[in-house]
Amino acid sequence: MPIIRAFIWVMILKIHPSVGFPPDALTGSAAFTKHHAEITRGAIRIAVGRYIKDNNLTLIDDTTDVFDAVKTLFGNDSDGYEKFIEKETDIIENVKDQEKSKEAYIHCNSEQIELAHNHVIKLRKQIAVLAQSTEPDLSLIRKMIGKCIYTIQAFYSGSNWVEMNGDSVYKDFETNDNFDQGKCGFGGSTDTENGFRTAKGGINKDRLDYTYSPHHHLHYKAFYSARKATEQFLIDQDDTGSIGDEIEEVRKACIDIITNVFGTPNAPSNYILVTFNDPVKHMHRLTTSNGLEMISALGNITVDGGFDCPEYAMSGLEKAIELCQEQSTIFFYTDAPAKDEAERDTVINAAEEKHIDLQLFVHNETCGPLRKKRATERTKRDVEPHVYSQVAEGTGGAIYRFNTSLLGELMIQISEEIFPSATAIVDTFELRDGETNQISFPVDSMLNNVKITVIGATSAADVDIESPLGSIMTAVTTSVYFKSPDKVVVSVLYPTTGIYKLLRTGNNYWYANITAQTSVDFHYLMTEEAEDGYFYRISGKPIVGEQYRIYLTVYDLPVGMDASGVRLETNDSPTNNLDITEVAGDFGTTYFVSTTLSSDVVMYFI
């Protein structure tokens, strides 16, 4: 008889599992119910916030809440903050995706807690291996972290740990043999054995509704336990010419860096250009506070010879450090070993004295013994550390290996972290042969340093821009430069509010990209409804003709301002202007809109 009873109980547990925390926010009377998205986002902010404070990554006083440390770190770098949000959201969506799993141990159901424990341990080990690889797949790591986090959180809603130990964390996360036989009925909407009624003695605490969860009074304790355990998990994971064509790539990237931050609070206060080679130790070409003068000087650099071995690299660095202000950033590029390695300590001491941030870019195919290529075409580090690595290590700087094709992308990525620019796309246009020679775009009071980039113009004289007050091309606050063979960039500081016009001379095909600096930014997420009635991030590209729900989170909206709609730009159908509805958000103002796609979406505007 006991065996039959036990069998019946096991069957009930398999058929009627505890549902667990909902994946996302509920509405109506259940709006205060805690969910996986809130638990995960809160834990990420706490874990990252503590890391920021513990390592003094930014100035934070004791009154700053740890939740706010991330936002304080990014400051007015809304582009950087948006990238953080994207990675954070990726983890959250990976957590929510586990809700669809049919495996009981994923949800800590059916008394499969030991399997759940082994599942998490296995994933932890895989994450550690991936994180230590030379080129870790960060997307895969975030996916595996999401799997771990979901099961960790499910443990606190699906087991009787909270009933026995309150809101503490079960660090070992091992099987608990002291399960009460009363757990055979979990209660909740799927517990049909109990006629959808709450089960006597059931441990369901997934909701605040007592008609749904017998232990609704423990819902918040389960939430705090799950969040603390998630936070602990995340903290634990922390343990786990001379250059030929490259000169042109450096030049392109430097121009983009300068124009992206030009006129913003993050723009450098001055620019210094120093070159070096052999036999000339160094040449001081320019010191200026005008970014456009720096662009011009970069354009005048010529390349002599190629792959000279070696060069006076330390002399060039020493001169740059001498000329620059304290706490400056120096970008250094070379394809050759240093002829003056003996000056290494002089460079290190000078950089440390002025607190200089050295970013050293060394070509993969340097001549001489710095780096050699094997027959397999794979590169190999020298057995002995070379002078560039020693300088980077000695000053707390960084060294990057690059090839020609990746240099520009690598520079932009690094410079965005050092000189953040909160860039928003105002609009993009194409002007084809025979079409109108005039396009209009709006500029409001939240935009500054508007940048208009025109591809297809043969000279700056082909381009004219008018504000509500007339042409701005010769205004004091306007800077214009032409980059051969067909690129014109116009930067407008502190623009007048109103409708601007971009005017084309001639019939050349133009592609125009208009961006601006702004403190306001947004992040979007496209979701679709699943069988359980919740909305999950779509897998792959959206399908034309299907209905989706788009969530938009807007950051740093000025007091008294609101977002009212979203514009969807498509390739082959009219622009869709949609009204949006505000919902509760954790770290910004969140809106959503449901729509059926009539074409592939290529851009979102709010």
Side-chain angles (χ1 to χ4, degrees):
M1 183 65 179
I3 295 177
I4 296 175
R5 233 169 95 190
F7 176 74
I8 292 174
W9 282 337
V10 170
M11 290 298 293
I12 291 174
L13 284 167
K14 286 184 177 180
I15 297 172
H16 312 302
S18 175
V19 177
F21 294 114
D24 219 328
L26 302 178
T27 58
S29 61
F32 292 101
T33 295
K34 301 301 181 180
H35 48 87
H36 284 291
E38 180 180 0
I39 297 169
T40 306
R41 193 182 303 278
I44 290 174
R45 292 304 174 104
I46 293 173
V48 176
R50 286 183 175 167
Y51 181 86
I52 291 170
K53 296 186 76 170
D54 292 346
N55 291 275
N56 298 315
L57 299 185
T58 190
L59 292 176
I60 300 177
D61 57 39
D62 294 335
T63 62
T64 302
D65 192 291
V66 69
F67 274 101
D68 300 323
V70 172
K71 194 68 176 71
T72 303
L73 174 68
F74 285 103
N76 58 8
D77 175 17
S78 64
D79 277 358
Y81 187 51
E82 181 183 3
K83 290 177 182 178
F84 175 85
I85 293 293
E86 288 175 356
K87 304 302 184 294
E88 180 183 64
T89 301
D90 189 30
I91 293 175
I92 291 169
E93 292 302 315
N94 286 323
V95 173
K96 291 164 56 179
D97 284 345
Q98 302 310 302
E99 188 80 19
K100 295 176 280 188
S101 175
K102 304 298 183 183
E103 299 291 344
Y105 68 87
I106 298 294
H107 311 279
C108 286
N109 283 341
S110 302
E111 302 205 13
Q112 295 190 12
I113 295 176
E114 184 174 7
L115 289 176
H117 165 73
N118 293 334
H119 169 67
V120 174
I121 294 299
K122 180 179 178 181
L123 286 172
R124 279 179 179 267
K125 293 178 179 178
Q126 292 173 346
I127 292 170
V129 172
L130 287 172
Q132 293 170 6
S133 62
T134 54
E135 296 183 2
D137 186 337
L138 299 181
S139 178
L140 177 58
I141 289 175
R142 288 193 295 270
K143 185 175 183 178
M144 297 174 72
I145 287 175
K147 289 182 177 182
C148 281
I149 287 175
Y150 178 87
T151 299
I152 289 171
Q153 293 174 2
F155 171 78
Y156 295 94
S157 66
S159 74
N160 62 343
W161 171 265
V162 172
E163 281 80 355
M164 298 171 60
N165 300 279
D167 59 3
S168 62
V169 173
Y170 190 12
K171 186 68 171 64
D172 293 334
F173 193 67
E174 294 176 350
T175 302
N176 189 336
D177 296 325
N178 299 318
F179 291 116
D180 193 318
Q181 294 180 349
K183 289 198 292 93
C184 62
F186 280 92
S189 60
T190 61
D191 198 348
T192 55
E193 184 70 16
N194 288 278
F196 300 99
R197 298 185 303 272
T198 59
K200 182 179 180 180
I203 63 169
N204 185 306
K205 45 193 168 287
D206 311 330
R207 309 289 191 275
L208 286 171
D209 185 354
Y210 71 92
T211 62
Y212 181 99
S213 297
H215 286 188
H216 62 280
H217 58 286
L218 296 175
H219 177 71
Y220 280 111
K221 285 190 175 183
F223 158 70
Y224 287 119
S225 294
R227 194 177 71 181
K228 285 189 288 187
T230 304
E231 172 196 338
Q232 185 59 55
F233 169 81
L234 293 170
I235 291 173
D236 288 346
Q237 298 314 301
D238 182 54
D239 294 333
T240 53
S242 177
I243 44 179
D245 292 338
E246 287 75 24
I247 285 289
E248 183 58 27
E249 291 302 315
V250 170
R251 196 183 345 251
K252 289 179 181 178
C254 286
I255 289 172
D256 285 336
I257 292 169
I258 294 168
T259 56
N260 281 345
V261 299
F262 188 75
T264 73
N266 296 313
S269 58
N270 72 335
Y271 302 85
I272 297 171
L273 180 59
V274 174
T275 59
F276 60 92
N277 55 31
D278 182 18
V280 180
K281 287 190 174 183
H282 62 255
M283 180 181 293
H284 174 209
R285 294 177 178 264
L286 178 71
T287 296
T288 180
S289 60
N290 189 328
L292 296 178
E293 290 183 8
M294 182 66 165
I295 290 173
S296 178
L298 286 166
N300 293 330
I301 293 177
T302 57
V303 180
D304 295 323
F307 286 90
D308 300 333
C309 290
E311 294 179 335
Y312 286 102
M314 295 297 104
S315 175
L317 270 174
E318 189 176 351
K319 187 63 177 179
I321 294 170
E322 173 192 330
L323 294 169
C324 70
Q325 300 174 4
E326 289 194 7
Q327 298 183 328
S328 292
T329 297
I330 292 178
F331 289 87
F332 168 91
Y333 311 90
T334 188
D335 69 337
K339 188 173 186 177
D340 48 356
E341 287 191 22
E343 300 299 318
R344 176 199 62 194
D345 291 342
T346 302
V347 169
I348 292 175
N349 293 336
E352 286 188 316
E353 183 177 349
K354 298 181 76 171
H355 306 287
I356 303 301
D357 177 22
L358 293 181
Q359 303 288 316
L360 310 180
F361 295 80
V362 181
H363 198 282
N364 277 335
E365 297 183 15
T366 51
C367 54
L370 176 62
R371 177 171 283 204
K372 299 177 181 179
K373 298 194 76 177
R374 302 165 76 180
T376 59
E377 294 299 307
R378 295 179 62 186
T379 55
K380 178 183 179 182
R381 289 185 183 273
D382 296 325
V383 176
E384 295 296 328
H386 59 77
V387 66
Y388 300 126
S389 295
Q390 293 169 345
V391 168
E393 182 178 357
T395 61
I399 184 169
Y400 304 93
R401 308 289 188 178
F402 72 88
N403 58 41
T404 306
S405 62
L406 298 179
L407 176 59
E409 181 180 343
L410 176 62
M411 280 185 61
I412 291 295
Q413 179 181 348
I414 295 167
S415 65
E416 284 180 349
E417 297 175 2
I418 299 172
F419 307 115
S421 59
T423 305
I425 297 175
V426 177
D427 224 328
T428 59
F429 301 97
E430 286 184 290
L431 292 179
R432 296 181 173 85
D433 185 15
E435 294 182 343
T436 178
N437 288 323
Q438 174 181 304
I439 54 179
S440 301
F441 59 93
V443 173
D444 61 36
S445 59
M446 290 185 292
L447 301 182
N448 59 74
N449 191 24
V450 175
K451 185 173 78 171
I452 302 97
T453 303
V454 177
I455 306 294
T458 57
S459 72
D462 289 351
V463 180
D464 190 17
I465 300 172
E466 293 182 356
S467 76
L469 303 178
S471 178
I472 63 170
M473 298 300 286
T474 59
V476 175
T477 56
T478 300
S479 301
V480 182
Y481 75 88
F482 171 70
K483 182 183 181 306
S484 179
D486 63 352
K487 182 178 181 180
V488 174
V489 178
V490 181
S491 294
V492 186
L493 291 178
Y494 316 115
T496 302
T497 299
I499 301 299
Y500 280 62
K501 296 178 182 178
L502 173 61
L503 306 173
R504 173 177 63 172
T505 300
N507 291 316
N508 285 356
Y509 168 83
W510 274 15
Y511 173 79
N513 181 45
I514 304 169
T515 60
Q517 307 301 316
T518 177
S519 61
V520 178
D521 210 343
F522 76 94
H523 176 267
Y524 74 89
L525 180 69
M526 185 170 285
T527 67
E528 59 185 344
E529 188 173 7
E531 294 179 357
D532 60 7
Y534 293 112
F535 288 85
Y536 298 93
R537 177 180 55 180
I538 63 171
S539 176
K541 294 184 177 180
I543 301 172
V544 174
E546 295 292 324
Q547 187 174 48
Y548 299 96
R549 176 175 288 186
I550 303 170
Y551 286 93
L552 302 108
T553 302
V554 184
Y555 304 97
D556 297 325
L557 268 177
V559 176
M561 299 197 70
D562 194 11
S564 59
V566 59
R567 187 172 99 227
L568 306 184
E569 294 268 331
T570 61
N571 282 320
D572 53 9
S573 66
T575 297
N576 294 321
N577 294 296
L578 306 172
D579 293 331
I580 54 181
T581 302
E582 184 175 350
V583 294
D586 296 327
F587 295 94
T589 307
T590 302
Y591 306 84
F592 78 89
V593 61
S594 296
T595 185
T596 300
L597 297 186
S598 58
S599 181
D600 292 332
V601 177
V602 296
M603 198 165 295
Y604 299 83
F605 296 87
I606 60 167

